[in-house]
Amino acid sequence: METSGNTHKKPKLSNTSENWSMQRATNVTYQAHHVSRNKRGQVVGTRGGFRGCTVWMTGLSGAGKTTVSMALEEYLVCHGIPCYSLDGDNIRQGLNKNLGFSPEDREENIRRIAEVARLFADAGLVCIASFISPYSRDRLNARKIHEAAGLPFFEVFVDAPLDVCEQRDVKGLYKRARAGEIRGFTGIDSEYEKPEAPELVLKTDSCSVNECIQQVIDLLQERDIVPVDASYEVKELYVHENKLDLAKADAEILPAVQIGKVDMQWVQVLAEGWATPLNGFMREREFLQCLHFDCLLDGGVINLSVPVVLPVSSSDKERLDGVTAVALVYEGRRVAILRNPEFYEHRKEERCARQWGTTCREHPYIKMVMESGDWLVGGDLQVLDKITWNDGLDQYRLTPTELKQKFKEMNADAVFAFQLRNPVHNGHALLMQDTHKRLVERGYRRPVLLLHPLGGWTKDDDVPLEWRMRQHAAVLEEGVLEADSTVVAVFPSPMMYAGPTEVQWHCRARMVAGANFYIVGRDPAGMPHPATGKDLYEPSHGAKVLTMAPGLISLEIVPFKVAAYNKVKKAMDFYDSKNHQDYDFISGTRMRKMAREGQNPPEGFMAPKAWTVLKEYYKSQKA
């Protein structure tokens, strides 16, 4: 927001034009964009169609124009819509820094901004102009500049009562204006003319930022600026309640296929919408796109790097060939219907070579693939009842829709996700704390951490989910992470140990759940080669691949800083090569060995209560 007063009328105070012209733009603060240039560059040209327009946000200082405009810019860019926000304070520090606050200068300030906005719109961007622009004549002139060029112009009145704006007064400008230190301040001693017929009014005293954004998006969708599919709604595959009885009756008479626990976990992934926009298990076309491009290509480039498929035996394929629907049965219960099934060959060796980069049968998930059916069946999935496991952890299994609602209730303006399948030590916590700090420095007011342990199948020597959740609870209890800005939930996907290919899946699933930042660590989704014991994947490749992966435009990748135990500080610390001798790199293998043997780690490596949980787990294994 820019400090502004009278723009085209003579000031009400007895100040000459010459005195005003000497007053330069000093009460301005640069407003940092939430969208990096790298992220902005990823979306330019990714969606067909011309979307150039200007959204002109007008209102009192403190009404919320900058907050809404920066958040709107971030939303649009994250959904593939090229956009740029012009903010009053920023313009006053550059393009218009030679203008003061005389009536002529103020009018020229808005004219220049309107011309710049027109150029952005003409280039095909959604330009968000956030300026007090208190006078109708200037706003009308801005509209005419766009209309003359045949470009859409949307006036948005960011409406907040003066007393609310004064209460918000972050920079103390109203207080100074009341004291007479700032003259010609809009709303105090200079008039603000409310728009008579704006395209939209945002009541920021009663609506949240997210609600305001949604109102603007609705407007832009109505005017065909933003495509409806850009909202990227979660696609759940549960049968609607009013059709459930009919679907269950249908399932009872359909031919059936028995599925295992891992298959059931994939059913849950699909049902809850983690694999949006899939309608069910992949058909051959989707499978081939996934296998060869790590993306779905129909309807835009959507990252989906791992096959979400259902293997069946040759006998099942022969028995079911030609049917229009199949019931899926897990542990004697008919849990879902697969409609219009499509059978295609399960080329296991090719799948493994592409997905894992190896066909080593000693790899635990590859072993399952090789032992599974020779056919894959895809189709439209209808899941009958909410999937629960009755293991005491179902309350943590929040769906993407539930997580989005949770973030909304917490007033989160940034969500950063941390995926893990291991216990949390203080090095992990250091990275999460550092990410939170960096987001606040970038202008976010309420960053929320999604601590999201993987809850599906894992290999035998990994710590089971139940014990990991106890350990995570102990970390929060000891205050290592801030409980009031952390959401702990369980991600239902099985673990495939497919390195850089799989980490894209982990990342995009959190994107569907509303995360816009993703922390990626060393060797994500990796494991030692079963035959050689060496890293199956180069440890840094996961992070590098994520920064280049197509179809992840809603997320910004936060690379993992190397953390190690600082023997001098007796704490986990970011590694400094200049003082290499001060650091002890405690590997996961060494950590587990200490816990198995009942030893304690160095002071400051892990929260004591969290370490006790880990020791108790390994002690239980010996019993």
Side-chain angles (χ1 to χ4, degrees), residues 198-475:
E199 277 74 13
L200 183 64
V201 177
L202 299 178
K203 296 284 188 179
T204 58
D205 61 324
S206 58
C207 294
S208 69
V209 174
N210 287 336
E211 289 170 337
C212 289
I213 291 172
Q214 190 56 56
Q215 291 179 51
V216 180
I217 295 301
D218 290 344
L219 169 66
L220 296 179
Q221 288 181 339
E222 289 173 7
R223 303 300 178 89
D224 294 325
I225 300 296
V226 173
V228 175
D229 68 340
S231 58
Y232 210 71
E233 293 300 318
V234 176
K235 180 179 285 189
E236 293 189 353
L237 302 183
Y238 285 113
V239 175
H240 196 276
E241 188 176 357
N242 63 6
K243 298 180 180 179
L244 187 56
D245 290 340
L246 182 62
K248 285 184 175 180
D250 196 12
E252 289 300 322
I253 61 174
L254 288 173
V257 168
Q258 302 290 330
I259 63 173
K261 187 174 183 178
V262 173
D263 297 326
M264 187 61 177
Q265 291 170 356
W266 283 117
V267 169
Q268 182 172 11
V269 165
L270 288 164
E272 294 179 353
W274 297 99
T276 297
L278 287 182
N279 293 312
F281 284 106
M282 287 179 171
R283 298 178 183 276
E284 187 177 36
R285 179 179 176 83
E286 295 164 325
F287 174 69
L288 291 174
Q289 290 177 0
C290 165
L291 206 60
H292 291 271
F293 306 112
D294 286 347
C295 290
L296 300 178
L297 302 176
D298 299 329
V301 177
I302 299 171
N303 191 284
L304 193 50
S305 58
V306 299
V308 184
V309 293
L310 180 62
V312 294
S313 65
S314 296
S315 59
D316 278 337
K317 187 261 182 185
E318 292 173 7
R319 177 172 60 88
L320 300 170
D321 202 13
V323 302
T324 58
V326 179
L328 305 185
V329 179
Y330 176 67
E331 293 187 342
R333 294 184 300 113
R334 295 185 177 235
V335 297
I337 298 172
L338 193 67
R339 297 199 181 276
N340 303 311
E342 175 189 344
F343 295 89
Y344 54 100
E345 186 181 358
H346 190 187
R347 298 180 60 83
K348 303 173 190 177
E349 188 172 19
E350 180 186 358
R351 173 189 172 185
C352 293
R354 290 191 176 278
Q355 184 174 349
W356 283 274
T358 180
T359 57
C360 177
R361 291 173 179 259
E362 295 174 42
H363 184 291
Y365 206 101
I366 291 177
K367 182 175 185 291
M368 288 195 295
V369 170
M370 292 300 190
E371 293 174 355
S372 67
D374 293 333
W375 295 86
L376 298 175
V377 57
D380 299 333
L381 190 67
Q382 296 178 323
V383 182
L384 302 179
D385 290 311
K386 182 175 175 61
I387 296 170
T388 57
W389 299 92
N390 302 315
D391 56 358
L393 300 175
D394 284 325
Q395 72 270 25
Y396 293 106
R397 293 185 174 93
L398 302 179
T399 68
T401 299
E402 290 169 339
L403 282 170
K404 284 187 170 183
Q405 180 60 34
K406 181 75 172 176
F407 301 145
K408 181 178 180 181
E409 292 168 358
M410 295 175 72
N411 293 318
D413 57 356
V415 177
F416 59 108
F418 189 69
Q419 135 90 30
L420 66 168
R421 70 173 195 269
N422 290 311
V424 174
H425 58 63
N426 287 352
H428 299 136
L430 178 65
L431 180 65
M432 290 182 265
Q433 294 161 357
D434 182 65
T435 301
H436 185 278
K437 177 184 175 183
R438 287 157 61 187
L439 290 175
V440 170
E441 289 172 350
R442 286 175 57 173
Y444 292 98
R445 300 179 181 180
R446 180 65 172 163
V448 169
L449 165 65
L450 172 59
L451 189 65
H452 213 201
L454 185 137
W457 174 90
T458 57
K459 54 189 175 68
D460 293 340
D461 60 346
D462 281 346
V463 178
L465 178 65
E466 175 191 357
W467 287 91
R468 282 185 279 133
M469 293 299 289
R470 290 186 194 179
Q471 196 266 353
H472 300 343
V475 168

Side-chain angles (χ1 to χ4, degrees), residues 4-58:
S4 178
N6 196 326
T7 57
H8 67 81
K9 293 187 176 181
K10 294 295 182 183
K12 295 181 178 179
L13 296 179
S14 57
N15 296 294
T16 66
S17 179
E18 288 76 12
N19 289 337
W20 280 109
S21 65
M22 292 299 292
Q23 183 180 350
R24 292 294 184 237
T26 57
N27 302 308
V28 295
T29 304
Y30 185 80
Q31 304 297 327
H33 291 262
H34 292 175
V35 180
S36 67
R37 288 179 178 175
N38 181 55
K39 179 59 62 180
R40 200 184 302 279
Q42 290 179 22
V43 304
V44 174
T46 59
R47 284 183 177 272
F50 180 80
R51 311 190 189 285
C53 70
T54 290
V55 178
W56 191 279
M57 293 196 175
T58 175

